[in-house]
Amino acid sequence: MVENMIVQKYGGIAMQDSSNRRLVIERIQKAVTTHKKVLVVVSAMGRRGQHYATDTLLDLIPNTPHSIETDLLSACGELISASVLVAELKNEGLHSTILYGKNAGIITNESYGNANIEYVDISEINKAFETYHCVVVPGFQGVSKYSNNFTTLGRGGSDLTAVVYGHYLKADVVEFYKNVPGVMTSDPSTNKQVELISYMTYEELQLKINEPVEVIQKRAAKFAALHSVPLHIRSLYEETNGTFVYQ
């Protein structure tokens, strides 16, 4: 087990361009200073229409049922994000590496497009932390225990990736960086009279997820509640306290 470590998850907006990734790198640098070790989970860059977004990639083979081919193609977005981020971290002098596929340790069944995690092997991650302060893994994906094919964990699956690692690595906290200050009382894009919720329980988070704006993936929230994984939902752009989720 790695002591004094956290997990950070960065979504498509955080990864979409160099200026946002500059903020990501600053967050990672601060986390390394404070927590010594950081596991970073990344989503594919941007949203549909941007070159490497998952939906853009899947538009290359439209109207195709979930399969080996669609999961391999859609997994590429997170692989690109992870590769680019590690290259940029190294340019900043931050000792980091990337783990993916079987080395990342998330082993699943073969339900392509919405795979279930069969078990998690963190041995390669623990080994990497013996050398590196920061380990970056592509979210949303695993490897089939039967065929070693790439599989994906459903829409929003990078959230599940982060929470699962948080549990198995016994992280101090799993941080989710968003384009909002944290969990709000209502959708800030449609209602200006909103307030930040500083603390909420897992049960309260489950209720918020049922609203139109999904705070984090439902499977991720359920896993966090089941295993009491502490969560911190916060802004990429502002130095605010965000929302803490725990029992």
Side-chain angles (χ1 to χ4, degrees):
M1 184 184 76
V2 180
E3 295 183 359
N4 299 320
M5 68 85 60
I6 66 168
V7 174
Q8 293 184 331
K9 187 265 177 176
Y10 296 98
I13 298 300
M15 295 302 298
Q16 71 181 353
D17 54 42
S18 58
S19 60
N20 276 6
R21 291 196 302 276
R22 176 70 254 172
L23 297 175
V24 170
I25 291 167
E26 290 174 3
R27 294 289 189 180
I28 293 170
Q29 288 171 324
K30 289 179 182 178
V32 168
T33 300
T34 304
H35 298 275
K36 310 305 180 189
K37 305 289 185 181
V38 184
L39 182 85
V40 176
V41 176
V42 294
S43 296
M45 295 178 180
R47 297 289 183 263
R48 174 178 265 125
Q50 295 176 284
H51 293 303
Y52 308 116
T54 301
D55 287 326
T56 304
L57 294 172
L58 287 173
D59 284 344
L60 294 170
I61 47 174
N63 304 317
T64 302
H66 292 301
S67 63
I68 294 173
E69 295 77 26
T70 57
D71 274 27
L72 179 58
L73 179 61
S74 55
C76 291
E78 280 73 15
L79 289 165
I80 292 168
S81 285
S83 301
V84 170
L85 181 60
V86 169
E88 292 175 338
L89 288 168
K90 287 181 177 179
N91 285 340
E92 294 295 323
L94 204 155
H95 207 39
S96 58
T97 191
I98 178 175
L99 292 178
Y100 61 93
K102 195 171 183 179
N103 286 339
I106 292 184
I107 311 302
T108 75
N109 63 9
E110 289 193 335
S111 296
Y112 295 106
N114 197 28
N116 289 319
I117 297 173
E118 297 283 334
Y119 65 91
V120 178
D121 179 0
I122 58 171
S123 59
E124 291 300 319
I125 292 175
N126 284 329
K127 190 182 301 182
F129 274 129
E130 293 174 5
T131 304
Y132 299 96
H133 299 300
C134 173
V135 176
V136 178
V137 294
F140 176 58
Q141 59 196 250
V143 173
S144 166
K145 72 175 183 179
Y146 307 105
S147 63
N148 288 330
N149 289 326
F150 276 102
T151 56
T152 60
L153 305 177
R155 188 164 292 274
S158 291
D159 291 347
L160 180 60
T161 305
V163 174
V164 166
Y165 281 131
H167 168 61
Y168 281 94
L169 290 167
K170 302 189 186 311
D172 295 336
V173 67
V174 178
E175 296 182 331
F176 292 85
Y177 283 92
K178 303 282 187 175
N179 59 352
V180 292
V183 181
M184 313 302 287
T185 51
S186 61
D187 184 357
S189 67
T190 58
N191 184 359
K192 301 303 179 186
Q193 302 300 315
V194 297
E195 295 181 1
L196 174 71
I197 302 172
S198 299
Y199 159 76
M200 61 198 315
T201 64
Y202 297 113
E203 183 178 1
E204 290 168 335
L205 178 62
Q206 298 277 349
L207 294 175
K208 290 297 289 185
I209 287 174
N210 290 327
E211 295 182 2
V213 177
E214 189 170 280
V215 180
I216 66 171
Q217 188 204 43
K218 289 182 180 180
R219 287 174 70 186
K222 289 179 180 179
F223 187 96
L226 180 63
H227 297 283
S228 299
V229 180
L231 310 179
H232 188 190
I233 300 166
R234 57 192 309 197
S235 172
L236 176 66
Y237 305 101
E238 304 173 18
E239 283 292 345
T240 55
N241 288 331
T243 304
F244 289 93
V245 184
Y246 47 91
Q247 200 62 52

